[in-house]
């Protein structure tokens, strides 16, 4: 709307045409993965921006993913869009995932997009209890517990060894019955003090060859 001093046309209406370029966006802005070993689903990231923008590189820091970047599509209003498929690569991976996806672009203001990747992959082996906590005991008292290890999928496996680097922790010979392995653990309570150690169990399960099980006991002399 334009006001003038022309008595015949005091108000002039103007129509302005133009196009605002699309902003650079990536969705989601973070990725979380969880699931059982060998059964982690893929994830898809969508990247969009102005038609003149291009992607020059996509990569992850740890190389845990196969990356498949689609050809871009351009909409009628000038929006350019890619889809990036991430597939978790190591079938035997167990534990915490801490990675980062990096997307390099030709966008003048945002040449690099980073997307954190986190999560946890659960192994097939179930340890019970997850830690040997014997609590407060008196000197000379018996302090022992049996650790059991079983397969969630009921697959056959073997425990090859179970040891402790702490001389106050004694680990018995592992034994198997009905697919469940049992490992007796006891601590030396002859002297007051704190025992804060662990036992190391080795197995033949890919990705779970080494299991660390904490052991804690506090021996308190009676007053």
């Amino acid at each position: 709307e334009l006001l003038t001093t022309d008595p015949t046309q005091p108000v002039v209406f103007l129509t302005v045409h133009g196009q605002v370029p699309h902003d650079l966006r990536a969705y989601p802005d973070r990725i979380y993965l969880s699931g059982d070993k060998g059964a982690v689903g893929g994830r898809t990231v969508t990247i969009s921006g102005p038609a003149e923008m291009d992607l020059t590189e996509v990569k992850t820091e740890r190389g845990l993913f196969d990356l498949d970047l689609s050809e871009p599509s351009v909409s009628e209003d000038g929006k350019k869009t890619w889809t990036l498929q991430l597939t978790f690569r190591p079938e035997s991976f167990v534990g915490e995932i801490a990675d980062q996806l990096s997307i390099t672009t030709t966008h003048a203001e945002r040449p690099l997009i980073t997307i954190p990747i986190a999560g946890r992959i659960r192994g097939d082996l179930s340890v019970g209890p997850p830690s040997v906590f014997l609590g407060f005991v008196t000197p000379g008292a018996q302090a022992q517990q049996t650790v059991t290890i079983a397969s969630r999928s009921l697959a056959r496996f073997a425990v090859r060894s179970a040891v402790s680097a702490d001389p106050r922790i004694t680990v018995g010979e592992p034994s198997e019955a009905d697919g469940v392995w049992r490992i007796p653990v006891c601590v030396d309570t002859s002297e007051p003090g704190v025992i804060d150690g662990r036992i190391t169990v080795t197995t033949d399960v890919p990705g779970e060859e080494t299991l660390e099980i904490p052991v804690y006991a506090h021996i308190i002399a009676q007053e």
Side-chain angles (χ1 to χ4, degrees):
E1 181 179 303
L2 179 65
L3 302 179
T4 77
T5 59
D6 186 346
T8 63
Q9 197 174 19
V11 180
V12 178
F13 292 94
L14 302 177
T15 302
V16 179
H17 295 278
Q19 187 175 24
V20 178
H22 289 278
D23 190 18
L24 173 56
R25 298 180 182 277
Y27 179 83
D29 59 3
R30 61 187 60 246
I31 297 172
Y32 183 81
L33 298 170
S34 65
D36 292 334
K37 179 178 68 175
V40 180
R43 296 293 187 271
T44 300
V45 175
T46 302
I47 308 105
S48 62
E52 65 273 14
M53 185 190 80
D54 284 310
L55 305 185
T56 58
E57 185 181 31
V58 292
K59 65 180 182 178
T60 56
E61 289 184 349
R62 297 183 60 190
L64 297 176
F65 296 84
D66 290 323
L67 304 177
D68 184 14
L69 183 65
S70 71
E71 291 296 324
S73 62
V74 181
S75 62
E76 293 182 357
D77 61 351
K79 181 180 181 180
K80 202 171 191 177
T81 303
W82 295 260
T83 57
L84 175 63
Q85 185 70 32
L86 290 80
T87 304
F88 195 63
R89 180 182 298 163
E91 294 183 357
S92 297
F93 185 95
V94 172
E96 298 289 339
I97 298 173
D99 207 342
Q100 179 173 272
L101 171 64
S102 298
I103 304 170
T104 306
T105 83
T106 59
H107 195 285
E109 298 177 0
R110 295 186 65 190
L112 178 65
I113 303 172
T114 57
I115 298 175
I117 304 173
R120 180 171 180 81
I121 309 303
R122 187 177 73 162
D124 182 55
L125 298 182
S126 173
V127 179
S131 63
V132 178
F133 181 76
L134 298 169
F136 297 95
V137 295
T138 56
Q142 188 179 52
Q144 63 181 21
Q145 197 170 78
T146 298
V147 174
T148 62
I149 303 176
S151 167
R152 292 188 176 92
S153 66
L154 303 181
R156 301 291 297 182
F157 71 98
V159 171
R160 291 174 171 167
S161 66
V163 297
S164 174
D166 191 326
R168 297 169 299 175
I169 301 173
T170 300
V171 184
E173 187 70 24
S175 61
E176 185 266 342
D178 298 326
V180 178
W181 285 83
R182 291 172 173 81
I183 305 170
V185 180
C186 65
V187 299
D188 181 2
T189 64
S190 59
E191 297 292 337
V194 174
I195 295 176
D196 190 2
R198 63 187 60 247
I199 66 172
T200 301
V201 179
T202 60
T203 79
D204 63 352
V205 180
E208 301 173 76
E209 291 90 351
T210 302
L211 306 176
E212 299 285 349
I213 303 171
V215 178
Y216 179 87
H218 193 168
I219 298 94
I220 300 179
Q222 292 179 331
E223 297 181 358

